[in-house]
Amino acid sequence: MPTPVQSHTGTGLDGSLGLAKEGTYADPAAVPTRFFEWLTANLGQDRNTFTSKGINSGRQMAAASKRAIVTTAVKGDLSLEVPSSMFGLIFEALMGKVTPTAPSPQGDTAYSYAYTLGAQPSLMVQQNVPFSPDSPLLGSLESFNYRGVMVTSAEFSCATSGVLTAKVSCLGQSMDHSTVTTPNAVYADGATLFSFAGGTVTVDGTVAATLSDFGVTVDRKLDNARYFFGGSGKPAKAAAKDLTEVSVKTGIQFDDVTLLTKWSTDASVAITATFVGQPIAGSTKKSSVTFTIPVAKIDGDLVPGLTGPDVVKLSPTFTAMVGAAGTEPLTITYVTADTAS
Amino acid sequence: MRIRNISPFGRLEVTAVGLYVDAGEEFDVDDAQAPALLAQAENFVAVTSTTSTATTSSQSASAAGTTDPAAVPAA
């Protein structure tokens, strides 16, 4: 028998965040099918207005009747803990191309999805905001539907005290909203997280034994300041305005001169970061997220100084670059029980 | 109305009805709740048979074809 879950409270605890991939850009009929446990969900609508500066000898202030909305757009960020289920949608929205791999051997239940750079799909994002306990609308939610949303960048990081998290920055075309009395959130009950304890980073195939901070940022360099006559003041689909940038931030102890030597000659390094989660039911595998960067250059100052009594530490950053032809500059691999990306 | 969980994400927490629903499991919702769930075609489908009864997750998941381990996953 299905098991009851708790009812809602009329506070922010009732807020929900749902996403769906749009079949048609900014489809007004799209509804969310995947809901994520959010840390913050701050998509909003930018509204640019024009106020007349025309002079009327009978008044000394701007007239309300001479103000108009000129353009609108959607932008904002989502902060999430990366779960072991449903998150393939966000990886795909960021990277663009997904290559699924069936479970192996036959009978296993672990699916693998490899995300590489390609044309990005658009999303609809729904933020369901609860009315306060003192409102006559207590128990209802205002559903804010953001449409034509493109992921312009995402930062994945894992602190020594936490789990793998994602800050996802978005640009979108439009927003509509309505009051709903029935919550529609549906969560993957089996989703778990990726702890620091399951994290491993390698540089040139060797485990970085004293690396304690890790973050990778993927910036697709999208811009949606693309307004055209006939567009009702809404932007066209966000498009790339520059080269995609993938950078890695780390913190590491000064153990040897390997990185220093690489840095001084501007040699390339290969980086992988793997975050292993919980076992997948029916499989010998565990859920995981792996960032693979075959070619990266080291940025920043790798020459250590004497700054105090503590262990000498370095903060190298790495910039992923295109290497050998046919090699993806960044692959994100998601191993999950999800049977769809 | 009776609805089946066909989600590719397995067991779901369905807040509309306050239930946890296993993969392939069927459950009842009232007419006001049904549209919001059935709109999520990735997760739910209406059960049209009047003789359907609640099933185990393994039975119904197999019937729905959602957890066939040999299947190539959808992109």
Side-chain angles (χ1 to χ4, degrees):
Chain A
M1 286 290 292
T3 308
V5 297
Q6 69 174 19
S7 60
H8 46 94
T9 64
T11 71
L13 295 174
D14 296 341
S16 62
L17 171 68
L19 284 76
K21 183 164 69 172
E22 293 177 330
T24 303
Y25 181 68
D27 180 1
V31 299
T33 58
R34 305 188 188 196
F35 287 80
F36 296 91
E37 298 184 5
W38 49 272
L39 300 175
T40 59
N42 288 321
L43 263 61
Q45 188 179 48
D46 268 1
R47 197 190 59 166
N48 298 309
T49 59
F50 174 85
T51 301
S52 172
K53 291 184 170 52
I55 303 300
N56 178 326
S57 61
R59 62 169 188 262
Q60 296 183 29
M61 293 178 64
S65 62
K66 301 293 192 303
R67 178 170 145 142
I69 295 174
V70 180
T71 59
T72 59
V74 167
K75 72 175 184 180
D77 301 323
L78 309 173
S79 291
L80 312 161
E81 294 159 343
V82 177
S84 62
S85 181
M86 290 191 175
F87 204 80
L89 175 63
I90 295 178
F91 285 137
E92 184 179 351
L94 170 69
M95 299 294 287
K97 182 181 178 184
V98 53
T99 304
T101 302
S104 179
Q106 187 168 3
D108 200 286
T109 57
Y111 290 74
S112 177
Y113 301 92
Y115 301 91
T116 50
L117 296 178
Q120 300 167 258
S122 62
L123 302 174
M124 80 82 62
V125 178
Q126 183 179 81
Q127 293 176 180
N128 293 309
V129 181
F131 293 100
S132 79
D134 304 312
S135 167
L137 293 173
L138 171 63
S140 297
L141 298 163
E142 194 70 8
S143 283
F144 293 88
N145 301 305
Y146 298 94
R147 305 188 187 279
V149 174
M150 302 290 291
V151 174
T152 184
S153 67
E155 178 181 358
F156 302 93
S157 60
C158 185
T160 55
S161 58
V163 296
L164 183 65
T165 60
K167 180 182 179 183
V168 181
S169 298
C170 304
L171 296 171
Q173 184 185 72
S174 63
M175 184 270 287
D176 57 80
H177 61 100
S178 61
T179 305
V180 298
T181 56
T182 303
N184 61 347
V186 172
Y187 300 96
D189 183 52
T192 55
L193 301 176
F194 299 99
S195 160
F196 169 78
T200 304
V201 179
T202 70
V203 178
D204 282 339
T206 301
V207 173
T210 63
L211 191 148
S212 56
D213 298 300
F214 177 83
V216 58
T217 300
V218 182
D219 189 347
R220 301 303 308 264
K221 299 290 185 181
L222 301 187
D223 181 22
N224 75 338
R226 305 176 66 238
Y227 298 94
F228 305 112
F229 289 107
S232 302
K234 299 174 183 174
K237 185 177 182 179
K241 63 178 180 182
D242 207 338
L243 296 171
T244 292
E245 289 183 356
V246 178
S247 59
V248 176
K249 295 179 180 177
T250 61
I252 191 167
Q253 289 185 181
F254 183 55
D255 296 327
D256 57 33
V257 297
T258 303
L259 279 181
L260 175 62
T261 303
K262 293 266 187 179
W263 173 79
S264 60
T265 59
D266 203 29
S268 299
V269 296
I271 300 171
T272 64
T274 302
F275 296 87
V276 177
Q278 299 301 307
I280 294 173
S283 173
T284 57
K285 302 181 179 71
K286 294 182 178 180
S287 57
S288 65
V289 176
T290 301
F291 302 90
T292 304
I293 298 173
V295 177
K297 297 292 186 180
I298 309 169
D299 291 320
D301 188 356
L302 265 287
V303 180
L306 296 172
T307 58
D310 201 356
V311 173
V312 176
K313 296 175 183 174
L314 302 171
S315 299
T317 60
F318 302 85
T319 301
M321 310 196 85
V322 175
T327 302
E328 293 292 342
L330 169 65
T331 301
I332 302 175
T333 306
Y334 190 41
V335 177
T336 171
D338 295 352
T339 59
S341 170
Chain B
M1 177 176 285
R2 199 155 180 81
I3 286 177
R4 177 184 297 137
N5 171 10
I6 60 164
S7 172
F9 314 113
R11 178 178 163 91
L12 297 175
E13 178 183 347
V14 186
T15 58
V17 291
L19 297 173
Y20 291 102
V21 183
D22 286 336
E25 188 170 13
E26 298 173 5
F27 59 103
D28 293 313
V29 298
D30 63 36
D31 290 345
Q33 297 165 329
L37 297 181
L38 291 176
Q40 300 179 31
E42 186 177 30
N43 294 324
F44 302 109
V45 64
V47 178
T48 54
S49 170
T50 56
T51 58
S52 294
T53 57
T55 56
T56 65
S57 55
S58 59
Q59 289 170 328
S60 49
S62 176
T66 56
T67 56
D68 178 3
V72 175

